[in-house]
Amino acid sequence: MSVIESYLPSTRIAYFSMEIALRPEMHTYAGGLGILAGDVAHSAADLELPMVFVTLASRDGYLRQTIDGEGRQIDWPDPWEPEQWTAQVPAMVAVTLEGRDVWIRPWLYELASPLGYKVPVILLDTRLDQNATQDRTVTDRLYGGGECDRLRQEAVLGIGGERMLRALGFSIETYHLNEGHAALLALNLLRRHARAPSDNPLEPRPHNTDPVRRQCIFTTHTPVEAGHDRFAYEDVARVLGDVVALDELKSLAGEDRLNMTRLALNLSGYVNGVARRHAETTRRMFPGYRVRAITNGVHVEHWTHPAFARLFQSILPHWCHEPEVLSRADQLDDGNVWDAHREAKRDLLEIVKGQSGIDFDPEAPVIGFARRMTGYKRPNLLFMDLERVRRLHREFALQIVVAGKAHPRDEGGKALIQQIHGHIDDLRDVPIVFLPNYDMEIARTLTAGSDIWLNTPLPSLEASGTSGMKAALNGVLNLSILDGWWLEACEEGITGWSIDHRPEGTREDHARALYEKLEAVVLPLYAQDRSRWIWMMKQTISKIGPIFNSQHMMRRYASEAYLR
Ligand SMILES: *Cc1c(COP(=O)(O)O)cnc(C)c1O
């Protein structure tokens, strides 16, 4: 019996995502979306959910970031070998792209929970001798190339992925499409369902969308207009051929261009955003759809530093499987909490030293900031007034660690990275370090080892944010603009702090509010009232941990979306 066969009887739900972070050596993710998919898969295994995951092999990864002497990001391929980490499965399916058959083969990664239950992850790969040279690289570079390359990848994921599951023998009842990237799957299902009856055989009615809507669940992950894929109909026709009649396609996906989000919205019977505010934003952007909210969560076992894990284990033995019990973390001993934090911080300072040669002071506060480097995340807000930063350092010994990649085609994001390096030069007397190549390993150390986790997006463009949840599990206190998940989790002065902003305020206003909060509230508390600080650490673990975890999130998906 092949390995796949053991999964066939029980698997009913297929989770589709362009990226998924399974382990550091597999470079199949770019950022938050992939990290979330990985946490979803881990929780699916923990909870024994009948799920299979489908993604691309991305042999060349997303990008490995180095920084040159001028502070500029240099993009490198980030290769990995599926042969080394996954098993080959003898199956092949084809999709037709630009009139050619493009063959796809599956690699299988079996993700096991500590209790032994496994979920299968299928990675789709077009690197095959059967394919024309230009088709062998379709699945190589995650989010690589231009618009048409993206469309080809989405066809492999959506159309090829659905065909692959059938070829392997899965009978899937529910498809969970994450982001518009997988929307072609729904279109492919539609094609197979009968059209509504028509009086005139020469004018066939459009396909009946009801059966497709019963099968499809759509989660949108971005509130940014540019984050939604749109393709010119000429490109769609050239790459995909006649998927469905153009008029019908336009009625489902928009008149001017094929909007993948709109397509997914029209073909999914359950739609959700990834935080309450994000669902509201989505309803505004796409009026007329019922958009629910399931707030993201993180996998507690993966994101908790070993020192805190030992501490939790000692009084809350079921915390991994049932993170709800973290609500009792407020009973932890203060000294133990601080010791665990010092251990996590020591790990961070070691990386900082290794990277920069700079010795941070373990007794002085560290602000951590790591995000995709792009305009609306405003990674430079903290550096709006350099004199003010110097003052915060003189008065409170402030230290700062920054990390994040810019998408290779995001010139604005790349400029931000260079600006930040300029600020670091200007602020030579302040310990500030940029850690290159932010990935899941750096994220673990950075979110656990900072004292303060900063987030300064332009509201309301943060979908959810998850790194602040990772921080909170380790008692790291969030200081953030009220947006995304933080609107649901912030209790001022208890679980962390907000950065006061008026929606109409300028970036200068927001920067000023940030400096004022740091100067008047956050840094004095760190310097002067350690026991209140530790009390807040315990509040943040016990109030945020039980809710903003992926176990809780997946129980919600299971009961509210999958079991509709
Ligand atoms: C958690 C994580 C993200 C997402 O963080 P946000 O707070 O949602 O921006 C991105 N990249 C890596 C490597 C992560 O670990």
Side-chain angles (χ1 to χ4, degrees):
M1 192 170 91
S2 82
V3 188
I4 284 283
E5 273 171 55
S6 63
Y7 291 110
L8 300 182
S10 60
T11 306
R12 296 197 303 278
I13 301 156
Y15 188 98
F16 277 70
S17 173
M18 197 76 138
E19 46 172 309
I20 184 166
L22 296 166
R23 54 188 305 149
E25 301 90 343
M26 295 172 63
H27 304 162
T28 48
Y29 68 98
L33 184 66
I35 297 280
L36 181 80
D39 284 0
V40 166
H42 278 106
S43 284
D46 293 342
L47 300 173
E48 306 195 7
L49 299 179
M51 293 177 76
V52 56
F53 293 76
V54 181
T55 191
L56 300 186
S58 302
R59 285 170 174 274
D60 283 339
Y62 170 59
L63 84 91
R64 189 170 63 79
Q65 176 196 56
T66 60
I67 305 292
D68 75 5
E70 256 88 82
R72 281 183 303 234
Q73 165 173 305
I74 312 291
D75 312 327
W76 305 90
D78 198 14
W80 73 287
E81 291 174 4
E83 293 81 351
Q84 206 181 337
W85 299 101
T86 67
Q88 203 163 350
V89 181
M92 277 212 299
V93 298
V95 293
T96 309
L97 300 179
E98 286 154 30
R100 295 186 301 276
D101 277 347
V102 177
W103 289 94
I104 306 166
R105 68 168 150 179
W107 296 93
L108 171 68
Y109 182 80
E110 297 181 273
L111 190 149
S113 108
L115 296 177
Y117 189 83
K118 289 188 207 160
V119 295
V121 183
I122 309 286
L123 301 100
L124 306 170
D125 186 12
T126 61
R127 185 87 67 87
L128 279 164
D129 295 340
Q130 286 87 339
N131 284 331
T133 318
Q134 70 266 40
D135 298 331
R136 289 180 199 161
T137 53
V138 170
T139 55
D140 276 1
R141 193 75 182 255
L142 181 56
Y143 304 130
E147 238 174 60
C148 284
D149 299 303
R150 178 73 76 92
L151 184 56
R152 286 183 201 103
Q153 292 190 336
E154 297 190 5
V156 169
L157 179 69
I159 302 172
E162 193 266 344
R163 278 188 193 151
M164 184 64 77
L165 291 179
R166 272 192 299 138
L168 293 172
F170 284 97
S171 28
I172 299 300
E173 289 166 13
T174 301
Y175 295 93
H176 186 171
L177 316 179
N178 284 278
E179 216 51 320
H181 306 148
L184 293 175
L185 185 156
L187 199 60
N188 197 43
L189 291 180
L190 185 70
R191 223 168 14 170
R192 260 194 274 120
H193 286 290
R195 296 165 193 279
S198 161
D199 304 336
N200 180 355
L202 295 177
E203 261 181 53
R205 296 266 183 83
H207 293 84
N208 181 6
T209 58
D210 290 347
V212 179
R213 290 168 51 83
R214 270 196 294 278
Q215 280 198 285
C216 289
I217 287 164
F218 173 51
T219 303
T220 168
H221 295 261
T222 172
V224 185
E225 207 50 50
H228 300 278
D229 280 329
R230 280 184 201 75
F231 298 109
Y233 280 112
E234 304 87 81
D235 291 340
V236 175
R238 192 169 47 75
V239 175
L240 301 181
D242 288 330
V243 225
V244 299
L246 188 60
D247 281 351
E248 187 177 356
L249 190 54
K250 285 187 172 181
S251 76
L252 292 169
E255 272 305 310
D256 308 332
R257 316 191 82 201
L258 190 157
N259 182 321
M260 286 291 186
T261 302
R262 193 168 286 284
L263 183 61
L265 285 169
N266 280 324
L267 292 177
S268 301
Y270 181 99
V271 173
N272 74 289
V274 290
R276 272 183 233 139
R277 167 60 60 86
H278 177 226
E280 288 164 20
T281 310
T282 307
R283 277 179 224 126
R284 241 192 334 270
M285 218 182 312
F286 297 95
Y289 297 94
R290 176 150 188 213
V291 181
R292 298 178 241 207
I294 296 183
T295 302
N296 282 343
V298 298
H299 192 251
V300 297
E301 194 179 354
H302 186 260
W303 296 106
T304 301
H305 187 277
F308 274 103
R310 281 195 304 275
L311 197 52
F312 297 160
Q313 193 68 31
S314 68
I315 67 160
L316 310 162
H318 304 295
W319 69 283
C320 283
H321 194 71
E322 214 185 304
E324 289 82 353
V325 301
L326 286 172
S327 63
R328 293 212 296 277
D330 57 354
Q331 295 164 12
L332 291 168
D333 171 76
D334 282 10
N336 290 345
V337 167
W338 193 247
D339 285 347
H341 175 62
R342 285 163 64 108
E343 223 178 299
K345 191 167 176 179
R346 197 178 318 133
D347 287 351
L348 173 60
L349 299 198
E350 235 168 66
I351 295 191
V352 165
K353 167 89 177 177
Q355 189 56 237
S356 64
I358 299 177
D359 277 307
F360 273 33
D361 176 359
E363 303 305 320
V366 172
I367 290 185
F369 180 99
R371 301 250 132 41
R372 181 154 56 87
M373 291 286 163
T374 194
Y376 76 89
K377 303 254 188 184
R378 302 194 298 188
N380 53 354
L381 201 77
L382 180 61
F383 303 108
M384 287 285 289
D385 181 346
L386 299 188
E387 200 37 53
R388 199 85 191 251
V389 177
R390 279 191 199 97
R391 206 165 86 199
L392 289 173
H393 174 65
R394 275 198 305 273
E395 202 171 336
F396 299 103
L398 179 64
Q399 316 172 95
I400 303 168
V401 185
V402 185
K405 297 172 179 175
H407 185 280
R409 286 193 307 279
D410 183 354
E411 292 308 324
K414 288 184 162 179
L416 282 168
I417 290 177
Q418 197 172 7
Q419 277 169 29
I420 288 172
H421 280 86
H423 298 322
I424 293 176
D425 280 348
D426 290 342
L427 291 167
R428 220 174 305 262
D429 37 339
V430 184
I432 308 175
V433 167
F434 186 99
L435 295 177
N437 205 40
Y438 185 51
D439 62 7
M440 66 195 292
E441 288 199 289
I442 296 179
R444 271 178 84 166
T445 313
L446 187 51
T447 54
S450 302
D451 294 291
I452 300 152
W453 192 250
L454 181 68
N455 194 17
T456 54
L458 180 65
S460 53
L461 298 182
E462 182 80 316
S464 165
T466 53
S467 55
M469 303 171 187
K470 305 168 194 168
L473 285 173
N474 295 286
V476 174
L477 301 179
N478 277 273
L479 168 60
S480 169
I481 294 272
L482 277 176
D483 200 10
W485 80 288
W486 192 232
L487 274 165
E488 296 163 41
C490 178
E491 289 179 57
E492 187 68 23
I494 299 172
T495 56
W497 303 274
S498 59
I499 298 166
D500 308 313
H501 73 271
R502 287 170 299 119
E504 70 280 12
T506 63
R507 53 197 296 116
E508 284 76 16
D509 294 336
H510 292 182
R512 212 170 303 118
L514 165 61
Y515 294 130
E516 273 159 24
K517 189 57 78 69
L518 278 171
E519 189 165 64
V521 180
V522 179
L523 295 173
L525 186 73
Y526 184 91
Q528 293 152 21
D529 193 347
R530 189 55 47 82
S531 82
R532 178 76 185 179
W533 186 277
I534 296 172
W535 177 84
M536 278 186 73
M537 291 176 74
K538 296 198 296 189
Q539 291 298 311
T540 212
I541 298 168
S542 62
K543 290 196 150 82
I544 291 174
I547 299 173
F548 299 91
N549 64 75
S550 52
Q551 236 77 331
H552 179 81
M553 169 180 69
M554 289 317 289
R555 289 191 173 112
R556 287 197 62 192
Y557 274 108
S559 62
E560 295 169 40
Y562 301 158
L563 289 178
R564 251 172 329 132

